[in-house]
């Protein structure tokens, strides 16, 4: 069972930036595709960014293209989500998740989840 830990998160003003990180407990981290799923109150978790096992392929939802950058350091078992030009509508609990298959997948297809970290963007 992969354990994912997400420190970070926090409160930032609109237009500001924040970087989230997610560290996995297993040395097999490089065998997992990783994704980030924000969940706002009353809404479902939706994939906004994902990265392949090697880090060579990435996915971004239209809502975050040009503002969010996903990356990973397999040697450190860590995936990052750099967020700039944040908007109030980005406010959500952000979950990182891991799966053994391809990186572009729906939430229910991801197998392992972090505890989530709150990101609040004030206007």
């Amino acid at each position: 069972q992969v354990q994912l830990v997400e420190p970070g998160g926090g409160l930032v003003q609109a237009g500001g930036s924040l970087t989230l990180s997610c560290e996995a407990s297993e040395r097999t981290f490089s065998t997992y595709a990783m994704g980030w799923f924000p969940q706002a109150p009353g809404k479902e978790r939706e994939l906004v960014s994902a990265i392949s096992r090697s880090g060579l392929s990435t996915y971004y939802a239209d809502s975050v293209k040009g503002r969010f950058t996903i990356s990973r350091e397999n040697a450190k078992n860590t995936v990052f989500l750099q967020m700039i030009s944040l908007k109030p509508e980005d406010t959500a609990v952000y979950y990182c998740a891991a799966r053994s298959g391809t990186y572009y997948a729906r939430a229910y297809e991801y197998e392992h989840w972090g505890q989530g970290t709150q990101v609040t963007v004030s206007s």
Side-chain angles (χ1 to χ4, degrees):
Q1 179 77 6
V2 177
Q3 292 187 340
L4 303 173
V5 178
E6 308 171 50
L11 173 66
V12 63
Q13 289 188 331
S17 62
L18 196 63
T19 297
L20 304 181
S21 63
C22 173
E23 184 173 354
S25 60
E26 289 198 2
R27 288 179 292 177
T28 56
F29 174 72
S30 63
T31 66
Y32 292 94
M34 300 297 296
W36 286 96
F37 294 80
Q39 185 171 23
K43 295 187 177 180
E44 296 184 352
R45 297 180 191 183
E46 292 190 6
L47 182 67
V48 294
S49 187
I51 190 166
S52 63
R53 288 167 285 185
S54 66
L56 294 178
S57 298
T58 56
Y59 163 80
Y60 297 98
D62 288 343
S63 60
V64 305
K65 279 182 182 176
R67 300 189 301 120
F68 289 11
T69 302
I70 191 170
S71 61
R72 65 190 297 162
E73 291 188 32
N74 286 343
K76 296 183 178 180
N77 295 347
T78 304
V79 63
F80 302 93
L81 186 68
Q82 182 182 12
M83 307 182 290
I84 65 171
S85 302
L86 283 162
K87 304 175 182 179
E89 49 263 45
D90 294 320
T91 294
V93 176
Y94 281 70
Y95 295 89
C96 72
R99 71 185 303 261
S100 302
T102 185
Y103 61 99
Y104 181 65
R106 296 181 184 274
Y108 70 85
E109 296 176 295
Y110 272 76
E111 300 146 354
H112 309 284
W113 291 85
Q115 82 281 6
T117 187
Q118 177 70 47
V119 173
T120 302
V121 184
S122 62
S123 57

